[in-house]
Amino acid sequence: MNSLTMDGFRYRMVPVDENVELNVAVAGTGPALVLLHGFPQTHYMWRDVASELVSRHTVIVPDLRGYGASAKPAERDSDTYSKRTMARDIVRVAGSLGFDRFGLVGHDRGALVGVRAGLDHPSAVRYLGILDVLPTADSWEVLRGVDARVAWHMYLMAQPSGLPEKMIRAVAPEFFGSFLDAWDPDGSTFPPAVRQHYIDSSVDAVDSVVADYRATAGVDLAMDLQDRADGARLTMPVGVISQDWGSQLGFDAASLWGAWASDLTYEPIDAGHFMAEEKPKEIAQFITALSERVEAEPR
């Protein structure tokens, strides 16, 4: 597999579950900040953002379970790749590095793990940053009619185990590469070696990537719906930054997130989906502003 590492970061494999270790990059000093990647990427997507943050934070950047150089356990049941399990992984990673509280920022899939961490482990998550995604329950509700074609991959990978994996493996490089191309506004976000790294990493993880998405249509959705019925809320400061998907799909992102978070800031950004790599300085500023909202909080 074509692997890339972030300059200046120390790497280690951190045990989080039985026979499951996560590949984790760490650098910097100060309060802990965990950065979680999206699809179809690895921790490497944060390289430029992280370099802006290490002077003020201990920056912890893992590959999620099932992605990159982290373990890819077989999908034994719906819990193997539930966001509850993946969130617990992240809490254990931070704990193993000596942090029982941390800021958490996620993009896409990583943001969904972050939301679950905020709901399940509110005492651990000091603040939560979310890049370009909606809560699981809201995502499925806004994907209606022909406009839902933008998320066709979600429907494919929601199918029962077997056929989706076989279909994707048949054209895996083209499948994963299509998202890197379609969601990159001008085709300049990814240098060739980086684009190839993401494709190679994803091709090596077809089964676990599909299992992650399958969970989003099953156990993760059930958890979100139950939490919404119970009135569960994200109690920490939450910042959301995203493209203006709402104007295309007919929803108000700030309103949807506001139903989950009382202390919310929302801002649109003129960037594509891969905004952390397209506009790293702007995303670093977004994270810095979010962290400064809680700097006075005792740690």
Side-chain angles (χ1 to χ4, degrees):
M1 183 176 69
N2 170 24
S3 295
L4 296 175
T5 57
M6 299 197 301
D7 292 341
F9 277 71
R10 308 178 305 277
Y11 280 78
R12 65 187 72 184
M13 297 298 293
V14 178
V16 293
D17 206 347
E18 184 178 358
N19 299 319
V20 178
E21 294 182 326
L22 299 194
N23 177 50
V24 182
V26 185
T29 58
L33 168 63
V34 180
L35 303 176
L36 302 180
H37 65 85
F39 164 89
Q41 297 163 289
T42 69
H43 77 284
Y44 193 71
M45 64 158 281
W46 290 110
R47 62 197 178 280
D48 294 326
V49 173
S51 69
E52 300 275 341
L53 300 170
V54 291
S55 63
R56 297 183 59 186
H57 302 275
T58 300
V59 182
I60 302 167
V61 197
D63 284 329
L64 293 168
R65 169 190 293 241
Y67 289 82
S70 288
K72 303 169 182 64
E75 184 185 15
R76 299 184 307 275
D77 52 39
S78 63
D79 189 54
T80 306
Y81 286 93
S82 75
K83 301 307 157 291
R84 173 158 289 158
T85 296
M86 296 171 81
R88 186 185 64 211
D89 288 348
I90 302 310
V91 172
R92 289 177 175 175
V93 164
S96 74
L97 297 173
F99 297 98
D100 58 3
R101 285 176 60 72
F102 50 89
L104 182 56
V105 178
H107 174 243
D108 188 88
R109 312 303 297 167
L112 299 181
V113 175
V115 170
R116 181 46 53 190
L119 291 168
D120 286 1
H121 307 275
S123 64
V125 180
R126 297 182 66 222
Y127 56 88
L128 178 61
I130 295 163
L131 276 61
D132 214 38
V133 79
L134 289 175
T136 297
D138 297 294
S139 291
W140 289 114
E141 290 173 4
V142 304
L143 293 172
R144 298 180 182 278
V146 70
D147 287 333
R149 69 185 184 277
V150 70
W152 66 274
H153 61 298
M154 293 176 62
Y155 292 90
L156 171 62
M157 292 191 277
Q159 304 308 310
S161 177
L163 186 58
E165 294 88 340
K166 184 175 182 180
M167 292 174 67
I168 292 169
R169 273 195 294 270
V171 290
E174 294 86 355
F175 176 80
F176 294 112
S178 71
F179 302 104
L180 298 172
D181 298 338
W183 298 340
D184 180 6
D186 61 10
S188 64
T189 298
F190 307 111
V194 174
R195 183 179 184 278
Q196 194 61 48
H197 163 67
Y198 293 148
I199 291 174
D200 290 349
S201 298
S202 298
V203 169
D204 193 50
V206 169
D207 288 357
S208 52
V209 170
V210 175
D212 170 31
Y213 272 87
R214 184 178 293 115
T216 296
V219 62
D220 297 339
L221 176 59
M223 289 178 191
D224 266 26
L225 292 174
Q226 186 62 58
D227 280 338
R228 188 159 66 185
D230 293 343
R233 305 273 285 181
L234 294 163
T235 56
M236 66 292 300
V238 177
V240 178
I241 187 167
S242 72
Q243 302 176 80
D244 188 16
W245 286 110
S247 63
Q248 302 175 51
L249 299 176
F251 65 86
D252 180 346
S255 176
L256 292 178
W257 277 113
W260 290 91
S262 301
D263 185 356
L264 174 74
T265 58
Y266 173 82
E267 58 185 280
I269 185 173
D270 181 18
H273 181 63
F274 302 110
M275 55 191 66
E277 288 169 283
E278 184 184 345
K279 295 191 173 181
K281 289 188 180 298
E282 289 86 342
I283 297 304
Q285 290 167 0
F286 161 77
I287 296 171
T288 297
L290 180 57
S291 68
E292 287 176 347
R293 286 166 57 189
V294 296
E295 269 192 349
E297 174 193 320
R299 292 190 292 272

